[in-house]
Amino acid sequence: MPELPEVEIVRQSLLKNIKGKKINKVLVRNRNLRFKLETSFEKKLKNKFISNIKRFSKYLIIELENKSFCIVHLGMSGTIHIIKNKKNNLPTNTSFYNSPNLPENHNHVEFFFKNIKLVYNDPRRFGYFKFFSDFNSLKKKFKNFGPEPFNKKFNLEYLINYFKNKDKNIKNFLLDQNFVSGIGNIYASEILYLSKINPSIPAKYLKKNQCKNIVINSRKILRNAIKKGGSTIRDFKNTKGDQGNFQKEFKVYGRDKQKCKRFNCLGTINKITQSNRSTFLCEICQK
C-alpha cells in the first residue's frame, strides 16, 4: 500500500500536470470500488476547473474552483496514470505492473482534460473516490485523524501525553492513524530502527529521549523518502516514470536474516509478526 511519501510523489505529479485545467469529462467504468461511486459523481466534477492538488496523510485532495473537493485513496493497489496523447500510452507515474502498458480491464475511472487524460487503475478495488461539497464536510472526514509527522502538533509533549498508561506497542501506535497520520508499515520499521527502539515495547515505557527520537526520525525518514522519489515496492514509479530509490536505503525492511547496517553492530535483522503485519528489527540495536 502506498504510504505518505508515495502519495506525495503522486500529488506533485498531479499538481504539475492538471492544476488549473478544466475537467471536460469523467468516465466511470466501474463504480464498485471500496465504496461504491455515487451516480452523480461524473456530473459533480464535469466542467469544473482544478484549483489545487493537496494531500493529507495517504489521501489525495483535488480542490475544485467552487471550493468543493474530491478525495482519492489509492487503497492497496490503486494507481494514477497520466496519458498525454494517444500515441503515448506509457504512464508518467505509479505503476504496479512489470509491463509499462496499463491493463485496461482495471481502468475504473478516467478524467479527460484538453490534450491529457488521467486514469485510475486498481486491480483489487480497495481504493475509492469521495466528493465533498464544501470544506466543512471535508474537515469532518479527517476529524479523528492524528497530526501528520510534519505537523508542529506532532511533538514531544504530544507523544508523552498520548502514551501515558498505554499498553499498546509502539509499532502499532505508529500505524494508528488516530495517533499519527500517514505512517505505514514500511516506514514504521525504519523509524524505530533509526531510533533504536524495540517495536514490541509498550508505549507507556518509552523514555523522554526515545519519544523525542521518534518525532525527529519520523520527519527525517519521510522527508528522505520523498526526496528519493518514494519506495519502489511492486514496481512503483515516480513522477518521471522512474522507480523510487528509497528502498535502496532500507536499513531493516525486507532484510530478514541479513546483517545490521549500523556501524560496529554485529546484529542480524529479524522478521516478526505484529497484528498480522511484518516487522523488521535488529536483535542487538533494538533490544
Side-chain angles (χ1 to χ4, degrees), residues 64-116:
L64 303 172
E65 58 179 327
N66 60 348
K67 295 300 178 183
S68 58
F69 303 86
C70 175
I71 67 168
V72 186
H73 192 279
L74 299 176
M76 295 183 69
S77 62
T79 54
I80 292 178
H81 308 264
I82 297 169
I83 312 299
K84 293 192 174 181
N85 57 60
K86 293 181 179 179
K87 294 181 180 179
N88 177 18
N89 287 323
L90 300 182
T92 59
N93 62 342
T94 59
S95 175
F96 282 85
Y97 306 103
N98 292 323
S99 168
N101 298 310
L102 289 173
E104 294 185 359
N105 57 314
H106 297 308
N107 291 350
H108 304 309
V109 183
E110 298 182 11
F111 293 77
F112 293 82
F113 304 88
K114 184 179 180 180
N115 300 323
I116 196 171

Side-chain angles (χ1 to χ4, degrees), residues 219-231:
R219 293 170 180 164
K220 182 177 181 179
I221 290 288
L222 295 177
R223 283 198 180 106
N224 195 23
I226 293 170
K227 183 179 179 181
K228 298 291 183 180
S231 299

Side-chain angles (χ1 to χ4, degrees), residues 26-28 31 38-46:
V26 178
L27 175 62
V28 177
R31 296 187 187 277
E38 58 184 325
T39 55
S40 60
F41 181 77
E42 299 97 309
K43 184 178 180 181
K44 288 178 177 178
L45 274 70
K46 184 179 179 181

Side-chain angles (χ1 to χ4, degrees), residues 7 14 18 21 39 72 76 78 82 97-98 108 113 118 122 130 139 142-143 147 171 175 187 193 210 215 225 281:
V7 177
L14 295 181
I18 66 173
K21 294 185 180 295
T39 55
V72 186
M76 295 183 69
I82 297 169
Y97 306 103
N98 292 323
H108 304 309
F113 304 88
L118 186 151
D122 192 351
K130 189 169 179 60
K139 191 175 180 181
F142 299 115
K143 68 177 181 179
K171 167 70 183 306
L175 299 181
Y187 296 108
Y193 171 80
Q210 291 177 310
V215 173
L281 69 153

Side-chain angles (χ1 to χ4, degrees), residues 45-58:
L45 274 70
K46 184 179 179 181
N47 294 325
K48 299 294 191 302
F49 282 89
I50 294 177
S51 58
N52 208 349
I53 306 291
K54 299 179 180 179
R55 180 197 53 75
F56 178 74
S57 183
K58 303 172 188 178

Side-chain angles (χ1 to χ4, degrees), residues 233-261:
I233 305 295
R234 289 170 149 191
D235 301 316
F236 173 83
K237 304 283 185 174
N238 67 15
T239 54
K240 295 180 181 179
D242 302 321
Q243 291 187 341
N245 286 308
F246 189 72
Q247 74 281 355
K248 297 176 183 177
E249 300 190 16
F250 285 169
K251 299 297 189 296
V252 286
Y253 189 84
R255 299 190 64 247
D256 187 32
K257 308 304 180 186
Q258 297 182 44
K259 293 181 180 179
C260 177
K261 290 186 176 183

